[in-house]
Amino acid sequence: MDYELNKSQIPAHIAIIMDGNGRWAMQRGLPRTAGHVEGVANVRYITELCTNLGVKFLTLYTFSTENWNRPQDEVMAIMDLLVDNMDLDLFMRNNVRFRMIGGIDRLSPAVQACVRELEEKTKNNSRMTAVIALNYSSRWELTQTMKEAVREAAEGRLLPDEVTEEYISSHLQTKFMPDPDLLIRTGGELRISNYLLWQCAYSEFYFCDTYWPDFHEEDLHRAIATYQQRQRRFGLTEAQVENTNTTEN
Ligand code: FPP
């Protein structure tokens, strides 16, 4: 089915929880890592689709701080896949800037080098920013921000009244991007698993059963079409929002 998308209402920032790689593989009698291989192929595909649609930020939950507790061979396989597939050519061809959020220090030297090189070489690309959340979790990120605030306060550089929402947003890993407009989770689970908790305060959520390796163009269009049918109220009433839209148009 083809979904009519309103080109003037493409979400500026789409965040995705790419779930279901393992189950995709098990269903086919394959090892879980085969699902991650397919998952990576789909990362490339969805990145290009989003770029062409005019999405400005795409944030992919790639590896959480909790994922270190998975079987070590799976962890190693994901890290190797990252090194092998962080594809400079893909980003340059599509004029996409690459960024990582999360704790870089715990990653292997090879992964760190890859991330740093890609960030540096793509820093002037401007069509879209593709962000991978790697060794990331929201509680970790908020804890880091609180530590920083306490440090600044202890040094006399921060007063209680200066701890505002803007202060917090500007100290998060995501300080260089707007909050997500649309959060998509594939794979059938209805939770956000420690992902962008602060940033998703007013995001629209879209959950689907499709496993990540099978999440293709039609699924993406369905998610965006669903988003476009929602009325974002940001705490206002329906009448207030309609009034604002009438005044603006
Ligand atoms: C969730 O599926 C997927 C992951 C934890 C890993 C996602 C990583 C990739 C797709 C690789 C990304 C690579 C690049 C280059 C960005 P799951 O394993 O939890 O699946 P399950 O819920 O079916 O077990």
Side-chain angles (χ1 to χ4, degrees):
M1 180 174 165
D2 206 16
Y3 292 89
E4 276 292 305
L5 295 185
N6 178 344
K7 291 280 168 6
S8 68
Q9 274 181 30
I10 297 296
H13 181 177
I14 298 181
I16 308 185
I17 302 177
M18 310 178 285
D19 198 16
N21 292 349
R23 282 166 287 161
W24 182 93
M26 307 277 276
Q27 252 186 6
R28 288 161 176 77
L30 298 169
R32 290 177 53 81
T33 48
H36 296 313
V37 172
E38 283 299 312
V40 172
N42 208 38
V43 165
R44 294 162 183 273
Y45 172 70
I46 293 292
T47 301
E48 286 202 316
L49 285 180
C50 285
T51 311
N52 292 333
L53 279 170
V55 173
K56 290 293 162 199
F57 292 87
L58 174 68
T59 307
L60 301 170
Y61 205 6
T62 302
F63 194 84
S64 73
T65 52
E66 290 81 14
N67 284 152
W68 293 108
N69 298 322
R70 289 192 173 202
Q72 278 314 291
D73 56 346
E74 184 172 339
V75 171
M76 298 285 287
I78 293 175
M79 292 299 153
D80 288 347
L81 272 175
L82 283 169
V83 174
D84 293 344
N85 289 283
M86 288 210 239
D87 183 351
L88 181 61
D89 185 51
L90 172 83
F91 294 113
M92 297 316 281
R93 201 172 58 240
N94 291 287
N95 191 12
V96 170
R97 176 172 71 138
F98 170 87
R99 293 293 301 263
M100 180 203 131
I101 57 171
I104 197 163
D105 295 347
R106 192 170 170 187
L107 302 172
S108 71
V111 177
Q112 289 192 29
C114 245
V115 165
R116 293 214 160 94
E117 189 192 343
L118 263 193
E119 286 191 334
E120 177 57 31
K121 289 195 168 152
T122 65
K123 69 180 179 200
N124 294 321
N125 292 350
S126 57
R127 218 163 141 220
M128 187 180 81
T129 300
V131 183
I132 62 165
L134 198 53
N135 187 29
Y136 172 88
S137 78
S138 223
R139 289 183 176 184
W140 167 82
E141 176 187 42
L142 287 164
T143 307
Q144 295 298 111
T145 302
M146 283 183 206
K147 278 187 191 158
E148 174 65 15
V150 172
R151 201 173 297 120
E152 286 185 25
E155 290 168 3
R157 293 187 284 120
L158 183 70
L159 296 170
D161 283 349
E162 291 170 339
V163 182
T164 58
E165 291 188 14
E166 290 72 28
Y167 171 90
I168 294 172
S169 291
S170 68
H171 284 73
L172 295 174
Q173 297 275 307
T174 51
K175 59 187 170 219
F176 60 91
M177 55 181 166
D179 289 341
D181 299 295
L182 171 62
L183 174 82
I184 298 171
R185 182 175 186 137
T186 65
E189 309 292 354
L190 304 179
R191 54 178 172 258
I192 58 171
S193 302
N194 216 348
Y195 192 42
L196 302 174
L197 301 180
W198 173 276
Q199 298 86 339
C200 283
Y202 281 105
S203 306
E204 296 297 326
F205 287 7
Y206 178 86
F207 296 98
C208 63
D209 290 335
T210 312
Y211 295 147
W212 172 247
D214 288 332
F215 185 85
H216 293 149
E217 186 169 27
E218 186 181 331
D219 306 279
L220 179 67
H221 285 192
R222 188 189 295 124
I224 296 175
T226 306
Y227 162 85
Q228 291 183 341
Q229 283 158 11
R230 307 243 180 103
Q231 185 191 49
R232 303 186 73 189
R233 291 201 283 276
F234 298 97
L236 300 181
T237 65
E238 191 177 337
Q240 281 176 306
V241 173
E242 273 161 14
N243 194 25
T244 314
N245 289 344
T246 316
T247 325
E248 275 174 5
N249 293 330

